[in-house]
Amino acid sequence: MIGCFVTGTDTGAGKTLASCALLQALAQHHGRVVGMKAVAAGAEPDSQGHWANEDTLALRAASTLAVPPALDNPVLLPDPMSPHIAAQRAGVEVTLAPILDAYRQLAAQADAVVVEGAGGWLVPLSETLSIADLAVALQLPVVLVVGLKLGCLNHAMLTANAIRASGLPLAGWIASRVDPDMLVPEENMDWLRRKLGAPLLADLPWQAEPDPRNAQFTLPKEWQ
Ligand SMILES: Nc1ncnc2c1ncn2[C@@H]1O[C@H](COP(=O)(O)OP(=O)(O)OP(=O)(O)O)[C@@H](O)[C@H]1O
Ligand SMILES: C[C@H](N)[C@H](N)CCCCCC(=O)O
Ligand SMILES: [Mg+2]
């Protein structure tokens, strides 16, 4: 079973697009791949009028294994804001146990599980819990999505250092070209390639209408 935790340089870095593209790349080698939005903040009614999070719906569309919502999105908070505040406003406390339990159930059915975080690495889930704590509890290798724009070099290095300090391996990184007007993108990519110390798994071009099917991946050997 392959599992990984997708984090980003920030919210809006392109984690959902990258996670969907990663699911599709994994599906070329494995039959049952499933995405998980462990903690979602922000919900809208879906086509059947059920409340759902848009990242969860996108991950579902890129998965080959259909599972109940309690497994691919164990924590759904209505308000689109930092999860610790959304949870407070919903009158709930985010805890690890139900998320770990849902992940175990997914891992028992799937060949590959891609878990998307929320925002960046140190985003709070509660007064005492962060996204990093969740990734550590899951004991998953991490994929870092770098939203390629001015400022991302600092965010990428800080995040890579924090991931390694947590004891988890950085399995690779994905560039998502979120800013079509960025100056010297190739020079920035060159620096990240040399300094992040992990393989570039995919370089997602800027797309007016982002579609995960447009991605070319180089998966780590153990994921093929
Ligand atoms: N390569 C790209 N080209 C164009 N737009 C992109 C690209 N990557 C991401 N985007 C857009 O940037 C916006 C933010 O991306 P996205 O929602 O995937 O971020 P995220 O990291 O998943 O954030 P969150 O923390 O909310 O989960 C979206 O509208 C997305 O479609
Ligand atoms: C609501 C949003 N789309 C994300 N899911 C949550 C982003 C939290 C960011 C918190 C922060 O770092 O300030
Ligand atoms: Mg997302």
Side-chain angles (χ1 to χ4, degrees):
M1 217 290 294
I2 296 158
C4 71
F5 191 94
V6 178
T7 193
T9 43
D10 199 356
T11 187
K15 292 185 302 296
T16 303
L17 183 70
S19 300
C20 291
L22 178 56
L23 281 164
Q24 291 180 351
L26 287 165
Q28 291 179 11
H29 301 268
H30 308 279
R32 294 161 302 172
V33 305
V34 68
M36 178 188 201
K37 182 78 181 178
V39 178
E44 288 160 29
D46 69 9
S47 50
Q48 280 125 43
H50 302 125
W51 286 84
N53 168 264
E54 60 176 6
D55 290 10
T56 311
L57 296 177
L59 294 169
R60 235 170 245 170
S63 299
T64 60
L65 180 70
V67 296
L71 297 192
D72 69 4
N73 181 210
V75 180
L76 175 58
L77 306 164
D79 297 328
M81 55 186 65
S82 183
H84 77 294
I85 304 171
Q88 242 171 21
R89 287 162 57 124
V92 297
E93 165 131 22
V94 178
T95 56
L96 291 176
I99 305 174
L100 301 183
D101 187 53
Y103 178 80
R104 273 185 220 111
Q105 292 188 56
L106 288 181
Q109 302 173 44
D111 302 311
V113 184
V114 173
V115 183
E116 182 189 344
W121 186 243
L122 287 182
V123 160
L125 301 177
S126 75
E127 193 61 27
T128 54
L129 210 59
S130 70
I131 282 288
D133 296 325
L134 172 60
V136 168
L138 289 166
Q139 277 296 296
L140 289 174
V142 180
V143 171
L144 171 60
V145 178
V146 178
L148 207 70
K149 59 176 188 178
L150 190 63
C152 74
L153 301 184
N154 174 53
H155 288 154
M157 293 312 290
L158 284 171
T159 307
N161 286 349
I163 291 166
R164 293 200 174 99
S166 77
L168 293 176
L170 180 59
W173 63 285
I174 297 172
S176 199
R177 303 205 181 207
V178 293
D179 177 6
D181 301 319
M182 185 191 188
L183 296 175
V184 292
E186 300 315 327
E187 287 83 342
N188 281 264
M189 283 294 290
D190 174 60
W191 197 90
L192 289 165
R193 272 200 185 88
R194 289 185 291 107
K195 302 289 184 182
L196 271 181
L200 175 63
L201 307 184
D203 178 357
L204 309 181
W206 183 83
Q207 301 168 70
E209 289 178 29
D211 185 336
R213 287 170 299 186
N214 297 336
Q216 300 275 340
F217 265 80
T218 308
L219 292 176
K221 281 222 162 45
E222 60 276 21
W223 290 1
Q224 294 177 14

